[in-house]
Amino acid sequence: MAIEEAGQNTQGETPDVEPTVETDEATITEDAELERTIGLTGGLAIGIGTMIGAGIFVFPGLAAGAAGPAAAGSFAIGGLVALLVALPAAELATAMPKSGGGYYFISRGLGTLAGTVVGLSLWFGLVFATAFYLVGFGYYAVDALTLAGVAVGRELVIPLALVLGVGFTVLNVTGTENAAKLQNGVVALLLSILFVFLGFGVLDALGIVGEPTAPTTLVPRGYFPILTTAALVFTSYLGFAQVATVAGEMKRPGRTLPVAMIGSVLVVTVLYVTTIFVATSAFGWERLAAEGETAMVAVGRDLLGQAGALAILLGGLLATMSSANASILSTSRSIYAVSKDALLPTWASRINLRYGTPHVALGLAGGPILALTATGRVQVLAEVASFLHLMMYGLLCVALLVLRRDEPEWYDPDFRTPGYPAVPILGAVASFALVGFMTRLSQVIGLAIMVATAGWYYYYARGVRLRGVL
């Protein structure tokens, strides 16, 4: 791969890559860097906070309807695939602690075409995921209002989701540190609620505080739905990669990135599997499926009465808010990184001097997110997000294999993947294979987005030569 100055486009008009400064609403393009303001706690909060929302509060009813009690196995499979990718991703992140995450790693390992497809697909993948989280928030907000005695219907789900999306976009414009502080507080409160609730739920399921209620049939739907459900719920595991998208803002990235990425996967996988076990044991998978997106509220009420329902409603609101906030932050950093390399017009990487945030990228993230949120299509939003991320994860593992083979002079990671080369090979195979278990509609939408991004490469970015890692 030729190593030249970033943003040099030999096709048609050369993008403006010179620094531009304006004093009021000041912006800086090529030479600007985001400040390193996020520590280990913030990194874990982004990873755990993003993953914990859908997996625990939106998916149990949907997953139980598809796979029965064996949905716990679906979450375990998703966690295993995520771990196989998180280990190579952590190595790449410590070698290239730059904003953009998977895009940056793949573009430097596999070249401009792969980088363009992945970078733009990651943008859309995060947009779909964020819209999914916001719709989940809308469902919980409506249930919370109903429980509080405010008579509202499901028609308010989308308006409430849109209001939250606008609010978080504005919050992220006003400063990464503000968004990170909110994320830390939300995740701490959320984990406290979950540990108390799940602790009681496990004791109840085992009969220590009641009668044992373990499900009598673990696989009522058969074994194939376990894999299709794993493909559906994989959206729950996107958070560890979103830590990498803010690598350029992490303090001491060589130490904090691996712990944040791998630690968040392990913590959340245990919470997912425990949640499905508790929910199917206490409530039964058929009833869980009938409750849909807010099934966990009914589980909370069944275990702890009205106090349990209130706790789950609060947890669901916090979790979906946390996921949406972290995803909006990560979406903007993906756009910022692609634009900074001139694969998108470089004005998209401008940084607001007042707040130190990529305000244009945040606008490009927020608009599509709101448009998709308005559709309210929960399953399609989740699966398309999973599809695009799984393709990125597979290519990320391939990029590690290529970089280890070539060992460029600049490649000096602080963390090395254990079990190399078996781990990245298994990570790539598992990621690509899981795509095959998705619904046809989600596969078609995902492939269409990837084809469109390849078309953008040939139209706009074919002449761009990426710089090395500086």
Side-chain angles (χ1 to χ4, degrees):
M1 178 181 67
I3 304 297
E4 301 178 13
E5 185 64 22
Q8 185 177 9
N9 190 326
T10 59
Q11 298 288 324
E13 182 180 354
T14 301
D16 177 15
V17 297
E18 294 299 320
T20 299
V21 179
E22 301 172 4
T23 56
D24 292 329
E25 290 301 317
T27 58
I28 296 178
T29 57
E30 186 66 21
D31 293 333
E33 294 291 342
L34 300 172
E35 294 183 17
R36 294 191 179 276
T37 59
I38 303 174
L40 176 59
T41 301
L44 285 167
I46 290 172
I48 295 173
T50 305
M51 291 190 283
I52 211 169
I56 287 183
F57 293 99
V58 179
F59 272 140
L62 302 176
S74 301
F75 279 102
I77 291 170
L80 177 61
V81 174
L83 184 61
L84 289 172
V85 177
L87 290 166
E91 175 175 333
L92 292 169
T94 60
M96 296 171 273
K98 302 287 185 178
S99 294
Y103 154 72
Y104 199 92
F105 311 151
I106 291 168
S107 65
R108 269 55 183 182
L110 302 180
T112 309
L113 173 58
T116 302
V117 171
V118 167
L120 298 181
S121 295
L122 178 60
W123 171 10
F124 288 108
L126 288 168
V127 163
F128 273 87
T130 309
F132 166 67
Y133 302 140
L134 289 172
V135 174
F137 167 83
Y139 277 106
Y140 270 88
V142 165
D143 274 19
L145 290 171
T146 302
L147 196 64
V150 180
V152 294
R154 293 288 182 177
E155 63 273 8
L156 274 185
V157 167
I158 301 305
L160 290 170
L162 292 172
V163 168
L164 184 71
V166 172
F168 276 146
T169 302
V170 172
L171 174 68
N172 278 275
V173 168
T174 61
T176 301
E177 195 168 358
N178 293 333
K181 286 179 180 178
L182 175 64
Q183 190 76 3
N184 293 348
V186 168
V187 171
L189 181 56
L190 175 59
L191 288 176
S192 299
I193 292 172
L194 282 175
F195 282 129
V196 172
F197 173 76
L198 292 178
F200 182 87
V202 169
L203 294 176
D204 178 78
L206 296 176
I208 296 175
V209 295
E211 294 298 323
T213 54
T216 55
T217 305
L218 290 176
V219 285
R221 301 288 197 188
Y223 290 96
F224 186 75
I226 298 175
L227 295 174
T228 59
T229 304
L232 168 65
V233 303
F234 195 78
T235 312
S236 306
Y237 289 97
L238 306 187
F240 77 88
Q242 293 187 22
V243 177
T245 65
V246 295
E249 296 162 85
M250 294 283 288
K251 302 174 183 176
R252 299 181 297 278
R255 185 181 70 177
T256 56
L257 278 168
V259 176
M261 295 172 73
I262 297 168
S264 60
V265 171
L266 294 174
V267 169
V268 172
T269 301
V270 172
L271 289 173
Y272 289 165
V273 174
T274 305
T275 297
I276 295 296
F277 171 72
V278 167
T280 53
S281 297
F283 208 60
W285 69 270
E286 297 97 336
R287 292 174 63 196
L288 203 63
E291 293 289 340
E293 289 85 355
T294 54
M296 289 303 294
V297 178
V299 174
R301 184 178 289 109
D302 190 74
L303 285 175
L304 296 169
Q306 197 73 346
L310 284 170
I312 293 300
L313 276 172
L314 176 59
L317 289 169
L318 290 172
T320 49
M321 288 171 62
S322 171
S323 295
N325 180 48
S327 294
I328 289 171
L329 174 68
S330 298
T331 307
S332 66
R333 273 37 176 195
S334 173
I335 298 169
Y336 167 82
V338 175
S339 173
K340 203 162 186 290
D341 281 338
L343 301 180
L344 284 174
T346 53
W347 49 259
S349 63
R350 290 173 180 168
I351 296 175
N352 187 287
L353 286 184
R354 180 177 179 183
Y355 299 115
T357 56
H359 60 296
V360 177
L362 280 161
L364 292 172
I369 286 168
L370 296 177
L372 285 173
T373 300
T375 69
R377 297 287 299 274
V378 174
Q379 183 166 343
V380 173
L381 292 172
E383 281 204 347
V384 173
S386 291
F387 179 98
L388 295 171
H389 278 80
L390 283 165
M391 297 301 292
M392 180 191 73
Y393 293 164
L395 290 173
L396 186 149
C397 292
V398 173
L400 175 62
L401 294 168
V402 170
L403 288 168
R404 281 283 199 103
R405 180 198 66 191
D406 296 344
E407 286 289 345
E409 184 177 330
W410 51 261
Y411 190 75
D412 185 25
D414 294 317
F415 172 83
R416 292 273 177 171
T417 303
Y420 179 88
V423 168
I425 291 173
L426 287 173
V429 171
S431 297
F432 293 138
L434 205 54
V435 167
F437 294 99
M438 294 181 175
T439 62
R440 183 60 55 86
L441 176 61
S442 300
Q443 292 172 337
V444 169
I445 294 174
L447 285 173
I449 290 173
M450 295 189 73
V451 169
T453 59
W456 176 262
Y457 166 79
Y458 286 106
Y459 168 74
Y460 181 85
R462 182 170 50 179
V464 174
R465 295 293 180 266
L466 300 177
R467 66 185 172 185
V469 178
L470 302 180

